[in-house]
Amino acid sequence: MGDFLGVQTWVGTISWGAPIALAALGGTFSERTGVVNIAMEGLMLISAFFSVLGAWALHNAWLGLGVGVVSAMLFALLFAWGAIRFKADQIILGMAINTLAMGLTGYLLNTIFGYGGTPVNTPQLPTVSIPLLASIPWLGPVLFRQNVLIYALFILLVLSHFLLFHTRLGLRMRAVGEHPQAADAAGINVYRIRYLGVLLSGFFSGLAGAYLSIGALNSFNVNMSNGRGYIALAAMIFGGWTPLGAFGASMLFGFASSIAFNLQGLGIPKDLVLMLPYVATIVALAGVVGRTTAPAADGVPYDPSESS
Amino acid sequence: MVLSGYSPLPAYAALFVGAFGTPFNIATTLAHSVPLMLTGLGVAIAFRSGLFNIGAEGQFWAGSIATTWVGYAVGGLPPVLHVTLALLAGAAAGAVWAALIPGLLKAYTGAHEVITTMMMTYVAIQLSHFLLEGGPMQAPGYTPVSPDIRPSAFLPLLVPRTQLSAGLFIALGAAVIAWLILERTTLGYRMRAVGFNARAAAYAGIDVAATTVLALGLSGAFAGVAGAVEVLGVNHRLYDSFTAGYGFTAIVVALLAKNDPWATLGAALLFGALSTGASYMQLSAGVPSQLVDVVQGIIIFFIAADAIIAWLLRRSRNRKEVAA
């Protein structure tokens, strides 16, 4: 029990929370422009697989990262095409992408790699220690001795906040999510902004998926996203549709997972403890809705011929 | 399939022969359809009420767990009574799993049921791991399986040496019940009214919160019975990879059936045939069975974005006109 809240718990919080936070940041952009993106689960899975495939085939983890992120963005484009151009039900469409991602990655895993799984010599994205800072006690190992994607997360968090709340483009995105008719009347191309929002969420989900497969590990498992896309959606709601809030909520789930992982050695049945993040998600969701409000046009396909 | 380098005709032929080629295959197809019919009906009921119950998988697990326990722990009952009790336990557990947390939270805090039912699915799966892997429901020995249920709780087989049990009749009966509830009762009317327009329903004096909880509970009960039938009719015990994802496929089944109870039976039969055929296809034509998931995903995509099909048709017509 001694190191229950020790350094390892906090290192774990960040590494469990990071993929959720990355996806949740992307989800914020998608929902701010008015598209509910439940497909993040599938986008993560797609990127997780193609990152490994790319890293293995090109002998380079960075190229793998690129392949993974681009593949997730292509699937996001497919999702956006159905949701924006054809005004499909976004939740059902998202489920379609998730089912497709499950089947496709499982199928490709078996046909390309066989039943033995991905090769053990697949390159992995590096963990980088920042000189000097890494030797600070506590803070060093928690913040400055991490996988490169964790640093990317911190930078993207700040950039996302700035983009959404301090730029013209961010203002337009929020306008499109709140009142697309008014945005349209003001000369904003609603469709283009929504495509951008969904593509950004594809980009972020891609990073999240790559983190799972070639960041934290160097392999791919069937269904390795394991509900993180849905948790990211909950974190984004919990965070009140803001980048900083989404990040905070994700780290809360990361903390729950990290504690769950650490408690396994203490005689508490591991399976019960592993429920913790899922239960935390439910509790978080139950406790906050009502105090935060979604963008008004979230989930509503935009049809210029309708007036409101 | 062409894209992935398999010649499609032998593969489709294998799919069809695998699903319907022999009486044994037909029975297996029907047996795979039964849980899909029941979970599909459950998802359809929720959809009709404007609720997206994507957690049928978890309710299926909850039902299986409760039914298994009643199946082996309760003794000394005549068969009919034992089976009934076990089915009721499955229905109740599924209902509790859907109504108690996702239903109440949706009704009173607005927490979106897509996420809560999904999270409850992961909780159910973890719970089953806990119970089976060294937990209170593990049978003596090292394998994570539950004890066998007592023979008095077995559902009789309809075709010997297949997996087709009297569960088929339970599924057909459930379709009748779902249809009666939705189309012929005031509860069904209230549910459809809430699904159609919750605000208007509230103005009309319908208790939207209570209807939401009831609808999710009912939906979960059907998924719970599906789990019960798998235990009582097919497996006679619980083990780790028990569900084969029926609860997820159920969403496609309900969507394809446009939430009509009778059409749900047909759609479930189609997916039962796909899964039976897919394993045969893998054996005989060497086409991996995961392609069925891909096909499912594409089907849902086009159901959701049905406007794409109209658009594609229009385009090909225009192109023909240009060519002519």
Side-chain angles (χ1 to χ4, degrees), chain A residues 3-6 8-10 257-266:
Chain A
D3 57 353
F4 175 62
L5 287 181
Q8 273 317 308
T9 302
W10 301 106
S257 308
S258 180
I259 286 194
F261 192 75
N262 284 355
L263 282 177
Q264 287 183 35
L266 294 173

Side-chain angles (χ1 to χ4, degrees), chain A residues 38 81 85-86 88 92-93 96 99-100 103-104 106-107 110 115 226-227 230-231 269 271 275 278 282 286 289, chain B residues 4 6 52 105 109 114 118-120 122-123 126-127 129-130 133 255 282 288 290 293-294 297 300-301 304 308 311:
Chain A
I38 197 176
W81 189 57
R85 169 83 162 77
F86 292 101
I92 299 174
L93 200 63
T99 311
L100 197 62
L104 194 67
Y107 164 72
N110 283 351
Y115 289 89
N226 205 9
Y230 300 105
I231 296 187
D271 298 305
M275 285 180 196
Y278 303 117
I282 295 175
V289 177
Chain B
S4 42
Y6 297 99
F52 204 91
L105 289 184
T109 74
V114 164
M118 197 67 198
M119 292 300 121
M120 288 299 283
Y122 291 106
V123 172
Q126 290 298 342
L127 179 67
H129 288 176
F130 162 69
E133 289 165 12
L255 282 173
Q282 179 155 17
Q290 287 102 343
D293 275 344
V294 176
I300 317 178
F301 190 88
I308 291 182
W311 177 75

Side-chain angles (χ1 to χ4, degrees), chain A:
Chain A
M1 209 64 194
D3 57 353
F4 175 62
L5 287 181
V7 170
Q8 273 317 308
T9 302
W10 301 106
V11 173
T13 299
I14 295 204
S15 49
W16 288 97
I20 296 170
L22 282 167
L25 281 182
T28 308
F29 284 110
S30 175
E31 298 224 0
R32 279 287 179 167
T33 60
V35 182
V36 174
N37 190 353
I38 197 176
M40 291 192 293
E41 176 80 7
L43 299 179
M44 276 168 96
L45 204 54
I46 288 285
S47 166
F49 178 78
F50 283 98
S51 298
V52 162
L53 184 65
W56 168 76
L58 305 168
H59 311 288
N60 183 319
W62 293 103
L63 294 176
L65 176 69
V67 172
V69 169
V70 167
S71 62
M73 288 178 77
L74 284 176
F75 272 79
L77 193 63
L78 183 68
F79 174 75
W81 189 57
I84 299 167
R85 169 83 162 77
F86 292 101
K87 304 177 178 58
D89 184 307
Q90 294 166 6
I91 303 230
I92 299 174
L93 200 63
M95 286 300 296
I97 299 284
N98 294 344
T99 311
L100 197 62
M102 270 288 267
L104 194 67
T105 52
Y107 164 72
L108 290 175
L109 179 70
N110 283 351
T111 30
I112 298 175
F113 296 112
Y115 289 89
T118 46
V120 286
N121 56 353
T122 305
Q124 191 182 355
L125 288 170
T127 293
V128 176
S129 282
I130 296 182
L132 292 178
L133 291 177
S135 53
I136 305 172
W138 197 86
L139 264 186
V142 174
L143 289 180
F144 302 113
R145 206 176 294 159
Q146 287 282 11
N147 189 273
V148 284
L149 283 181
I150 306 266
Y151 301 118
L153 164 64
F154 290 130
I155 296 166
L156 287 169
L157 170 64
V158 176
L159 286 180
S160 299
H161 177 81
F162 183 77
L163 172 63
L164 205 50
F165 293 109
H166 299 283
T167 64
R168 248 165 85 102
L169 181 61
L171 182 66
R172 290 182 167 187
M173 291 174 123
R174 287 181 288 137
V176 164
E178 290 296 340
H179 203 314
Q181 285 81 6
D184 198 354
I188 299 171
N189 186 331
V190 173
Y191 290 158
R192 199 180 294 166
I193 295 278
R194 288 196 167 177
Y195 269 107
L196 178 68
V198 176
L199 274 178
L200 275 174
S201 97
F203 169 78
F204 279 98
S205 300
L207 290 180
Y211 177 78
L212 293 178
S213 64
I214 57 171
L217 302 164
N218 67 341
S219 60
F220 176 84
N221 301 314
V222 173
N223 192 20
M224 84 183 304
S225 51
N226 205 9
R228 287 183 181 86
Y230 300 105
I231 296 187
L233 203 67
M236 179 210 60
I237 296 171
F238 188 26
W241 288 268
T242 63
L244 293 171
F247 174 81
S250 305
M251 286 302 145
L252 200 66
F253 300 131
F255 182 67
S257 308
S258 180
I259 286 194
F261 192 75
N262 284 355
L263 282 177
Q264 287 183 35
L266 294 173
I268 303 171
K270 110 177 178 293
D271 298 305
L272 288 187
V273 177
L274 287 177
M275 285 180 196
L276 215 62
Y278 303 117
V279 175
T281 305
I282 295 175
V283 172
L285 207 57
V288 323
V289 177
R291 277 187 276 136
T292 57
T293 31
D298 202 10
V300 187
Y302 177 56
D303 187 342
S305 63
E306 284 170 13
S307 59
S308 77

